[in-house]
Amino acid sequence: MYRLTSWIATTCLAVAGSATLAQERSRDHDSPVVVELFTSQGCISCPAADAVLAELGQRDDVIALALHVDYWDYIGWRDSFGDPAFTKRQKGYARAAGRRSIYTPQMMIGGAFDVVGSRPMKVMDAVQHALDAPALATLTITRDGDMLLIRADPLGPLPETLVHLVRYTPRATVDITAGENEGRTVFYTHIAHGWQVLGLWNGEAPLEMQAEVTGDDPVVVILQEKGYGPILAASRLR
């Protein structure tokens, strides 16, 4: 079923039944894989993908982020975590891939693999592919009070790379009283907020920069190829 927005055709993909993930022992990995779930409280197919993300978020080799979009708000329920910046980010991925449609629940894995978020086997395959890819940079972050220190080193030639900073709320429960999920109480995890671009790194020399952070929510730094390309490295402080 397709619904039109002013910019793009969007599809809310239905998957029958609830998704479950087999528990796997996380292996050591210097740079965890970033899994971005584009989701919405107003999408009837999204709770299954939200549950998949919650399980992925328990792994040490995965940084799970739920990016709540705002383009389903018109059908009767305004997403309390929705952010137009996340809709813009999803559109950026679509343009980079030459697509003219966006949908929920979509997972972008490592900035490179596009998977329906409520299909756990496809998700796990994509996560493993991303983990098997060779590292392109090392990244470490440390925090001293309200100051975050970011250090990165290239492991070879790199494209122009954006340095992203994002926080996330670990968990929240929402009673949804209208829209497609009316009457449901949904448990959400890894709710992204405050996404910002700190700067551009040419990758020719080691990177060292600082950023101010406040509050107790986990901190994530992402190095991503400019133009919504692959994620080269990521690090997190919980």
Side-chain angles (χ1 to χ4, degrees):
M1 178 175 61
Y2 292 86
R3 290 189 180 92
L4 295 179
T5 68
S6 59
W7 183 83
I8 200 162
T10 60
T11 310
C12 191
L13 297 177
V15 177
S18 62
T20 59
L21 285 176
Q23 282 293 99
E24 295 186 3
R25 183 178 298 276
S26 296
R27 63 185 178 88
D28 292 335
H29 200 268
D30 291 337
S31 183
V33 172
V34 177
V35 177
E36 301 170 69
L37 171 63
F38 294 96
T39 185
S40 173
Q41 295 170 10
C43 164
I44 198 170
S45 305
C46 287
D50 298 323
V52 172
L53 189 80
E55 291 201 36
L56 280 174
Q58 298 178 36
R59 296 176 50 148
D60 290 334
D61 56 2
V62 170
I63 296 176
L65 296 171
L67 281 65
H68 285 246
V69 297
D70 64 347
Y71 52 80
W72 291 119
D73 290 357
Y74 79 96
I75 61 175
W77 178 258
R78 184 178 180 85
D79 192 314
S80 55
F81 309 129
D83 190 332
F86 296 151
T87 301
K88 180 180 178 181
R89 183 166 173 82
Q90 190 180 24
K91 291 176 178 178
Y93 274 128
R95 283 194 298 269
R99 296 191 305 267
R100 292 195 54 80
S101 63
I102 55 176
Y103 66 90
T104 55
Q106 179 193 26
M107 281 187 183
M108 286 299 301
I109 297 170
F113 301 99
D114 172 12
V115 184
V116 178
S118 49
R119 297 180 181 172
M121 297 308 295
K122 295 287 188 183
V123 170
M124 295 304 294
D125 286 346
V127 168
Q128 193 58 53
H129 280 304
L131 285 170
D132 290 341
L136 298 178
T138 62
L139 172 64
T140 59
I141 58 176
T142 56
R143 184 174 179 178
D144 184 7
D146 290 344
M147 192 59 62
L148 186 72
L149 180 61
I150 302 165
R151 293 188 177 92
D153 286 286
L155 297 178
L158 294 181
E160 285 192 311
T161 300
L162 292 175
V163 183
H164 299 263
L165 171 67
V166 62
R167 313 295 295 276
Y168 66 84
T169 302
R171 60 190 61 85
T173 301
V174 178
D175 295 321
I176 300 174
T177 60
E180 291 187 341
N181 289 313
E182 181 177 2
R184 300 185 67 168
T185 298
V186 184
F187 177 65
Y188 295 100
T189 66
H190 306 88
I191 306 154
H193 63 85
W195 197 300
Q196 58 182 303
V197 176
L198 298 179
L200 181 67
W201 180 36
N202 64 15
E204 295 176 358
L207 170 73
E208 185 167 318
M209 64 190 309
Q210 294 181 335
E212 185 176 0
V213 293
T214 59
D216 296 329
D217 278 352
V219 181
V220 177
V221 173
I222 296 169
L223 304 180
Q224 184 172 22
E225 182 178 336
K226 186 178 178 182
Y228 298 95
I231 289 173
L232 309 181
S235 187
R236 163 183 54 199
L237 291 177
R238 289 189 258 208

